[in-house]
Structure formats: C-alpha cells, structure tokens
Amino acid sequence: MEPYIKNAGGTIVTKSILSGTSKLKWLFRQESEFGNGWIAFGDKDTQEYVDNAENLRVVDYNTLAQIEPTVWKVYYMPIGTDLEFRSDRTGKYFINTKTGEEIREEVKSPMQIAFEKNLRFLNRETYEIEFFERFFQPNKEIKTLLVGESDFPTGEVVLADPLAYLGTKYETDLARKIRSGSYPVELSFYYSKIVGIRIAAARLVISNHEAVRYELAMPKGYTTKDIGKQGVWSFFGVDTGLACFSDLQVAEKYKEFIEQWREEHPKGNIYTDYFAEFFQKSFEKYSDFQKDGGSFLLWQIPETEYRLILFASGMGDGVYSSYWGLDTEGEVTCLVIPFINPEYF
C-alpha cells in the first residue's frame, strides 16, 4: 500500500494492535529523540501489558495508518497531544482528552498552514516599505546574493514563468519602461525551519538610489488607477516553479531557442533534458544558497549575447505581483517580486 505520509518516522505501537487482537484506543505524542513521538495503545491493553517493553514495537507511522487510516488526519498535531479514538454511527474521529474537542477534519501541517497564509498575504496593492527592505538586509535567517546581470536591450520589462509562458501571449509585459542596458539581479534567501532554503524575493537593481516608496507594477496599457476594474490583473502566473525578469526582445529570442530545441527534440523535456544540467552546476557553485538540483541559474541564450536569470518562485506555483521601487524624484530604482512573507515560515 502507498504510504499516507512521506518520511513519517517511527511510531511505538502495541503488538496487540499490530496483530489485530485489540483496536486502536489511545494515541498520544511525546518528546522523543527517536521517531516522531507518537505512541498507540489498544482498547484491550492493560497497564501491565504496556509496561512490558516486549509488547511494544516501533513501526513506520504509515503501518499504523494502514490498520486505522483515521490517524493520518492527526499526524501533525504537536508534542503533548493526548487523543482517544472513537468510532460510532457518526463516523471515526478523535477526542482531545485535554480539551474535550472532537477532531474529525485533517490537521494541517505547519508548512500547509504557512503556505495558505502566504497566499492570502501576496498580491496586495502595497506594503509598508519595511516589508521590502527586510528582504535585502542580511541576518541569521536571510542571505542575499547578486547572481549576475540580465540584459534589457529595449527596456520593456517582461515577467513570466520561463518554462511555461516566457515568449508567449501569457507573459506579463509591464507598462513602465526602464533605460536599455544590463542590470543586476539580486536574490533574497530565507532559511526556514519549516520549509528549508527558499527564495523569498527577487530584485532587479536599476539604480543605486534609495527607494522611498513602492508602487504595484501594472501590465502594459494600465495604471494603478485601474486596480480593481474587471479584467485587470497585476500579477503573473507560475506553473513550473520558476520565474524571471526579461526584456521583450530577449523573450522573443528565448522563444526562438525553445521552439528550435523542441523541434530538434520532439520527445524531449526542456527542463530535464536541457536546463537541469545547468541548474545542477549552479548548485555546485553556490551550494550554500540553494537546494540540491539548483534554485537559480545565470544563463545565456545560445547564439545570442542575451543573458537571462531564472530563479525558483518561493513556495512554487502560484500568482505573484511585482513592485517598482521609486526614489524621492519618482524615478525607478528597482523592481521587486516578493514570493514569501518570512513571518509565516
């Protein structure tokens, strides 16, 4: 049977439950250096029975879930949890013996809770300036890295998932232009106990002036006055876990490369058969900043002079907005894409 939870860890279960001579009755979680801390006792287990270590076994939590699938719903409950299992005409559920609460629905993992909070937080019209600044002020949890420069020969900025939408009608072309040239891309890395290393934000550095305010970057043909109007959106979509800043002309060259590659490799996968090798080399060069396999890549489109930086989009697929940093004169200093709010992770 497929496991209910990956890497669920070891769980102490009485032999009576495993053999079927008793049914699950008590489930509690304690601090443990070994396994996940969960302990399961049966309805026929006496104190004398459980005091005998010979009557206890350490099994994967999924083994217990195969005997009583309801336990997968409470896996993520914290240390100190004490539950009684019940089964009656209303269904199967747990009672929290400390509070009397009935637990019938799945208890979400800390990662899922953080992910959902993060989704609700993103794509606002504006944030306090401190929100943007904290991404690029290194501390024990946040590190930054100037990955390299991306080229903008026309100054028309495009945001897109490079593997899904760059060079297509689904990319997001921004209304505001920048001077043609090459600009550094800086990434902010958040080191989380819940989700590991994640790219929290990406910044296209356009000038060395300080940003005093941030403005939502609108798509071509619209201004911030159009926010809220039907059919107007200010975000770009990610469906392969990657994002990038690009120039409109670079996006066209990228499209030409992708189309030629796919023509030459009709059964190929552009990521696994082409980009994966480059991402792995990036990981080997900057292993302190990314997960195995790579989270970002400085890449030059073959047979062109154009450089493009591809980077992972925080928690992965979703919709993300970008924000122009403006100085005291209202001139653009940077373009920032926030991916996660570190407070949730």
Side-chain angles (χ1 to χ4, degrees):
M1 182 180 294
E2 290 293 324
Y4 287 85
I5 301 171
K6 293 182 179 180
N7 304 314
T11 302
I12 297 175
V13 181
T14 57
K15 289 173 62 177
S16 66
I17 294 177
L18 297 174
S19 65
T21 57
S22 73
K23 297 181 179 180
L24 175 67
K25 180 65 175 177
W26 307 104
L27 186 65
F28 56 96
R29 193 171 199 176
Q30 64 183 21
E31 191 73 45
S32 176
E33 296 181 2
F34 179 82
N36 55 35
W38 282 111
I39 302 174
F41 290 163
D43 59 353
K44 296 181 181 179
D45 296 339
T46 63
Q47 188 63 50
E48 181 181 6
Y49 181 84
V50 299
D51 285 343
N52 183 350
E54 292 296 319
N55 294 324
L56 306 177
R57 291 288 182 270
V58 177
V59 299
D60 187 278
Y61 193 84
N62 293 293
T63 300
L64 178 61
Q66 289 172 16
I67 297 171
E68 178 45 66
T70 312
V71 301
W72 74 266
K73 293 185 177 181
V74 298
Y75 175 79
Y76 290 107
M77 293 192 73
I79 301 298
T81 294
D82 195 329
L83 304 173
E84 178 186 356
F85 178 67
R86 292 186 183 179
S87 178
D88 55 37
R89 61 182 179 81
T90 67
K92 294 182 176 182
Y93 58 97
F94 285 95
I95 295 291
N96 185 326
T97 62
K98 295 180 179 181
T99 66
E101 174 191 8
E102 291 186 2
I103 303 170
R104 296 177 180 267
E105 302 298 324
E106 176 188 358
V107 176
K108 296 176 181 177
S109 70
M111 179 174 175
Q112 181 64 24
I113 293 171
F115 179 76
E116 292 178 359
K117 284 184 177 180
N118 195 61
L119 282 181
R120 292 192 293 269
F121 182 81
L122 293 176
N123 303 310
R124 297 183 179 182
E125 182 175 346
T126 187
Y127 301 91
E128 296 294 329
I129 192 170
E130 291 77 15
F131 172 72
F132 296 98
E133 291 177 342
R134 69 177 298 188
F135 287 120
F136 302 98
Q137 295 175 345
N139 54 43
K140 65 178 182 179
E141 296 177 331
I142 291 178
K143 293 183 181 180
T144 61
L145 180 68
L146 283 169
V147 179
E149 293 188 341
S150 282
D151 298 308
F152 291 82
T154 70
E156 295 192 68
V157 182
V158 174
L159 303 177
D161 177 329
L163 298 190
Y165 303 126
L166 186 60
T168 77
K169 64 179 181 179
Y170 300 108
E171 67 186 16
T172 298
D173 302 348
L174 299 186
R176 188 187 290 267
K177 292 182 62 175
I178 60 177
R179 292 189 180 91
S180 61
S182 300
Y183 297 98
V185 172
E186 185 176 16
L187 299 179
S188 169
F189 300 86
Y190 182 63
Y191 292 70
S192 165
K193 294 180 180 179
I194 297 177
V195 296
I197 304 174
R198 298 282 174 164
I199 296 178
R203 177 164 68 175
L204 184 67
V205 182
I206 298 165
S207 83
N208 58 6
H209 293 179
E210 181 181 357
V212 296
R213 67 184 181 90
Y214 285 83
E215 177 184 280
L216 186 63
M218 299 298 292
K220 189 177 294 185
Y222 299 99
T223 70
T224 53
K225 294 180 181 180
D226 297 309
I227 295 172
K229 292 182 179 179
Q230 186 174 1
V232 179
W233 68 92
S234 59
F235 49 78
F236 68 100
V238 171
D239 279 330
T240 70
L242 291 173
C244 71
F245 301 107
S246 179
D247 180 271
L248 187 61
Q249 185 171 309
V250 174
E252 287 298 317
K253 292 296 182 182
Y254 174 85
K255 177 183 178 181
E256 292 174 9
F257 164 76
I258 294 294
E259 289 178 346
Q260 180 179 340
W261 189 91
R262 286 176 173 157
E263 184 177 337
E264 296 172 353
H265 306 82
K267 295 183 179 180
N269 178 292
I270 189 65
Y271 182 81
T272 57
D273 298 332
Y274 180 80
F275 280 113
E277 179 182 355
F278 292 101
F279 272 99
Q280 181 60 31
K281 289 180 179 178
S282 174
F283 167 75
E284 292 168 2
K285 185 176 181 180
Y286 299 104
S287 58
D288 291 342
F289 291 88
Q290 45 192 328
K291 296 181 177 181
D292 189 19
S295 302
F296 61 85
L297 170 65
L298 171 60
W299 173 71
Q300 185 169 333
I301 302 175
E303 300 182 10
T304 78
E305 60 183 356
Y306 298 137
R307 294 164 297 176
L308 191 63
I309 296 174
L310 289 62
F311 42 86
S313 53
M315 292 299 294
D317 297 349
V319 292
Y320 301 96
S321 294
S322 62
Y323 301 80
W324 294 109
L326 305 173
D327 63 17
T328 55
E329 302 298 322
E331 295 296 321
V332 170
T333 68
C334 62
L335 180 63
V336 178
I337 307 172
F339 290 120
I340 67 173
N341 181 356
E343 292 182 2
Y344 298 150
F345 296 92

